[in-house]
Amino acid sequence: MFDDLRDDLQAAKMRDPAARSSLEILLCYPGIWAIILHRWNHWLWTHHLPFWGRFFSQISRFLTGIEIHPGAQIGKRVFIDHGMGIVIGETTIVGDDVLIYQGVVLGGTSLSKGKRHPTVEDAVVIGSGAKVLGNITLGCSCKVGAGAVVLQDVPRGATAVGVPSRIIREDRKCVLDLEHEFPDPVSSAIDLLLERQEELEKRVNILSHFHDIEHVELSHDSEVEEVFKGADEKLFYRLNNYIDDE
């Protein structure tokens, strides 16, 4: 028990740069309280005292704002950062060295009595407000972005974002880190457009130089016609099909 507590305090120090001392973590971190109380509640649940496990889990929920069903299996060095609004269902399995932020739901999508909640493997990071639903697996060292809704398995070392979630990266090793560098799809699309624009400008410059029309002032439709007819009559008629008469 005391070994687990020492590991929990050490995990909080590693994962939270604001942590200054073990005493501060023990007295001021509701995520630590929730894990400690859950271990007691889980012991009651597994020793044929389910009512008392549920009863004390509700007291823990009142004190911490974190609801963990006493039947859930929580591994070692699991750190719940801030934690308000977290819900972890009965058949959830959470591995070691997992980091969970506030607002996360590890919930079910079935009314069956069997396994209906997620399995979270070691060293997983689950961002704020993420919803992981159903009997699915988050692979070792994967990441779930803030606000994501995960309904399918996430491969080992992958990164999942969005609603519903999609895999945007699959090259992470199973290591413990806190990098949150998710690619921005809007920025990526703009970069592609700029690259395409640059490529088209180069082609226009090459055509202008080839047809010797770089320094010609085009102020009237007749001048445009003469320039292109002089350069390439077929090119003019081909372009003319795409020009509005107005």
Side-chain angles (χ1 to χ4, degrees), residues 138-178:
L138 304 185
C140 171
S141 198
C142 75
K143 284 186 176 182
V144 177
V149 177
V150 184
L151 303 175
Q152 297 180 343
D153 293 348
V154 178
R156 179 186 181 96
T159 299
V161 299
V163 182
S165 67
R166 63 189 185 280
I167 305 302
I168 61 172
R169 185 184 299 168
E170 297 190 52
D171 57 354
R172 294 185 66 244
K173 297 179 181 178
C174 282
V175 295
L176 215 57
D177 63 63
L178 286 177

Side-chain angles (χ1 to χ4, degrees), residues 75-151:
K76 297 181 178 180
R77 297 177 300 278
V78 173
F79 179 46
I80 296 176
D81 198 359
H82 300 291
M84 180 62 70
I86 285 176
V87 177
I88 300 178
E90 177 187 2
T91 61
T92 301
I93 300 174
V94 178
D96 300 335
D97 301 303
V98 172
L99 174 59
I100 303 175
Y101 287 97
Q102 67 272 15
V104 168
V105 174
L106 303 179
T109 57
S110 170
L111 298 179
S112 67
K113 295 291 186 180
K115 184 77 168 69
R116 61 189 184 278
H117 296 95
T119 296
V120 181
E121 295 184 351
D122 298 344
V124 172
V125 178
I126 307 178
S128 304
K131 307 296 184 285
V132 185
L133 306 176
N135 182 18
I136 61 177
T137 299
L138 304 185
C140 171
S141 198
C142 75
K143 284 186 176 182
V144 177
V149 177
V150 184
L151 303 175

Side-chain angles (χ1 to χ4, degrees), residues 57-73:
S57 71
Q58 291 304 303
I59 294 177
S60 174
R61 177 178 181 269
F62 175 78
L63 294 174
T64 65
I66 300 168
E67 182 172 346
I68 307 177
H69 192 284
Q73 301 177 42

